[in-house]
Amino acid sequence: MTYPHPGHRYGQFHPGAQHTYGEPLFSVRVRKHYGLFMAWSMRTYTITGTRTQCEQALHQAQIHNVLAGWWSPLSLLLLNWIALIANASERSRLHRAAIPTNATR
């Protein structure tokens, strides 16, 4: 996976950009939440890659959030839910961007 160029916006399809194997490139913003006993940390980063690579990064972040995100009171009530919902929203945005607009019937 590569990291975005300064002009790229997250969650968008890059029409001219293609991976080495001719696959289109996408960007998604991924959130990982760490719940600690009385503290927490939220890490947000942007991944640019093929659809499969972006989905894999989102999946790994969701697994991390489910396993490590609940270990503080504020995380249990609010913050981990924000990370989980934000990643699910990015996955939906990725799926919408990956649908070809000129599909033949």
Side-chain angles (χ1 to χ4, degrees), residues 45-89:
Y45 53 97
T46 303
I47 297 291
T48 299
T50 64
R51 178 181 175 176
T52 304
Q53 292 169 332
C54 291
E55 284 186 6
Q56 182 180 16
L58 286 166
H59 178 73
Q60 289 173 351
Q62 291 294 71
I63 295 284
H64 170 85
N65 292 340
V66 167
L67 296 177
W70 304 107
W71 301 104
S72 79
L74 189 58
S75 297
L76 182 62
L77 295 174
L78 180 66
L79 296 175
N80 200 39
W81 291 106
I82 292 171
L84 289 168
I85 291 168
N87 287 339
S89 174

Side-chain angles (χ1 to χ4, degrees), residues 2 8 13-26 48-50:
T2 60
H8 287 181
F13 170 61
H14 306 293
Q18 290 193 347
H19 190 262
T20 309
Y21 304 108
E23 298 178 53
L25 295 180
F26 300 90
T48 299
T50 64

